[in-house]
């Protein structure tokens, strides 16, 4: 691969100019004099054949090309910083690094306790932050991955073929309702599914859910009566109602001891394949690779789900 004939130091100046929109402030930011920054801007203008900064009244504004470059240059600078900060070795016993994992409350309940035990045991000075999912999972997952170490969500929520991933564990959907609900029997038809009112989690994410995508191919669009930003609260919200819920088998526990009963769906829904995703720029980081290895190893040791199919 051949790089364009441009001094890469100018990329640093370009980044400062695009953010500051002022030659003097950009120079102060990167340690250049005002004449030196002006000379760098002149070289950048010749390279791109574009003024980049245009004076409008008393201020400078970015040209359309400069606006397009701003996000790309910022991302490039972040990746360069990670590459140059990469260390050849990582020692979990001495690191005081803070790792950040974004996941749903379902993953936190299933995987969190064992993961915390494994990380604090192997890296006693390290810290672990769990973050809730936000809408960027569906709208801009790559931007979310730049802000964290690992994102754990099921396969099928987005399509990023060049993003490194590791399959962790599988789960499946269980359909349930309150034991006292007489409006539905033990098995639903497609008409029942479409007519029913549902408690649904993370509706923005479920727009891309393989489960609802499978139902949509059959012409079924579930009616959301109650939306909640949680998986672990789903089962409790249908008690005393005629509402239905789809929730994860690993969260279901023993339904024979509770207020719910399982209801069979008319179709088999795709399994839930929880997967760890990482930004490509982190692959040079041995600490990051260690974290992914621990997450993968802990996931492999999880017990199989034992949800009861009691009516």
């Amino acid at each position: 691969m051949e790089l364009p004939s441009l001094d890469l130091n100018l990329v640093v100046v370009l980044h400062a100019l695009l953010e500051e929109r002022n030659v003097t402030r950009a120079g102060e930011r990167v340690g250049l004099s005002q004449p030196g920054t002006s000379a760098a801007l002149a070289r950048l203008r010749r390279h791109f054949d574009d003024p980049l900064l245009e004076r409008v009244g008393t201020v400078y504004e970015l040209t359309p090309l400069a606006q397009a470059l701003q996000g790309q240059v910022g991302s490039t600078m972040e990746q360069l910083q990670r590459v140059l900060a990469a260390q050849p070795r990582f020692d979990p016993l001495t690191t005081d690094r803070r790792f950040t994992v974004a996941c749903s409350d379902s993953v936190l309940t299933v995987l969190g306790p064992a993961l915390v035990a494994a990380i604090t045991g192997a890296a006693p000075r390290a810290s672990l932050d769990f973050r809730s999912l936000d809408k960027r999972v569906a709208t801009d997952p790559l931007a979310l991955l730049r802000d964290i170490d690992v994102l754990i969500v099921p396969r099928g929520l987005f399509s990023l073929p060049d993003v490194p991933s590791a399959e962790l564990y599988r789960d499946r959907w269980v359909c349930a309702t309150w034991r006292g609900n007489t409006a539905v029997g033990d098995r639903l038809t497609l008409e029942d599914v479409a007519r029913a009112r549902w408690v649904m989690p993370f509706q923005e994410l479920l727009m891309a859910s393989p489960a609802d995508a499978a139902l949509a191919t059959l012409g079924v669009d579930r009616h959301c009566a109650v939306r909640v930003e949680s998986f672990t609260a789903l089962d409790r919200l249908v008690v005393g109602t005629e509402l239905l819920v789809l929730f994860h088998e690993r969260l279901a526990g023993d339904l024979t001891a509770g207020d719910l009963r399982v209801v069979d769906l008319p179709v088999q829904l795709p399994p839930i394949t929880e997967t760890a995703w990482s930004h490509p720029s982190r692959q040079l980081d041995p600490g990051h690779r260690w974290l992914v290895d621990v997450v993968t190893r802990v996931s492999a040791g999880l017990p199989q789900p034992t949800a009861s199919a009691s009516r």
Side-chain angles (χ1 to χ4, degrees), residues 237-288:
L237 297 180
V238 302
V239 174
T241 77
E242 294 185 350
L243 301 175
L244 299 179
V245 64
L246 279 177
F247 65 123
H248 295 179
E249 184 180 23
R250 289 179 181 269
L251 298 178
D254 183 2
L255 296 183
T256 62
D259 296 316
L260 304 185
R261 61 183 174 89
V262 171
V263 181
D264 290 337
L265 291 168
V267 294
Q268 185 172 358
L269 297 179
I272 304 159
T273 305
E274 296 290 358
T275 304
W277 307 84
S278 308
H279 195 276
S281 65
R282 299 190 184 275
Q283 300 313 294
L284 293 174
D285 179 356
H288 174 78

Side-chain angles (χ1 to χ4, degrees), residues 2 39 74-75 84-85 104 121 123 138 153 177-178 211 246 265 273 288 296 304 307:
E2 291 187 4
S75 176
L84 296 175
S104 69
V153 293
T177 191
W178 177 45
L246 279 177
L265 291 168
T273 305
H288 174 78
T296 304
Q304 293 301 309

Side-chain angles (χ1 to χ4, degrees), residues 30-164:
V30 299
L32 281 178
S33 64
Q34 196 275 341
T37 308
S38 296
L41 176 58
R43 292 178 62 188
L44 288 165
R45 283 170 165 167
R46 289 195 298 272
H47 176 81
F48 289 105
D49 193 21
D50 186 270
L52 299 177
L53 294 175
E54 293 181 317
R55 185 179 289 278
V56 178
T58 59
V59 298
Y60 281 99
E61 297 290 344
L62 301 182
T63 66
L65 175 62
Q67 293 175 25
L69 287 172
Q70 189 172 24
Q72 299 177 39
V73 172
S75 176
T76 298
M77 289 297 298
E78 289 179 6
Q79 294 187 39
L80 280 173
Q81 288 169 354
R82 291 193 181 106
V83 168
L84 296 175
Q87 299 296 316
R89 291 181 296 179
F90 171 80
D91 185 357
L93 287 175
T94 60
T95 186
D96 59 357
R97 182 164 169 174
R98 182 175 296 275
F99 295 104
T100 304
V101 176
C103 63
S104 69
D105 58 330
S106 171
V107 172
L108 186 58
T109 299
V110 172
L111 183 61
L115 183 57
V116 168
I119 293 216
T120 57
R125 297 176 58 191
S127 302
L128 184 59
D129 284 353
F130 287 104
R131 291 188 186 175
S132 301
L133 299 179
D134 63 53
K135 64 181 181 181
R136 288 182 295 172
V137 173
T139 61
D140 194 354
L142 202 58
L144 173 58
L145 288 170
R146 281 196 291 266
D147 293 341
I148 61 176
D149 290 292
V150 171
L151 169 66
I152 303 178
V153 293
R155 288 197 181 277
L157 285 184
F158 49 73
S159 177
L160 290 175
D162 296 329
V163 171

Side-chain angles (χ1 to χ4, degrees), residues 179-195:
R179 190 177 298 280
N181 178 15
T182 59
V184 295
D186 293 339
R187 178 176 292 274
L188 301 177
T189 65
L190 286 175
E191 291 75 18
D192 292 332
V193 175
R195 187 172 53 249

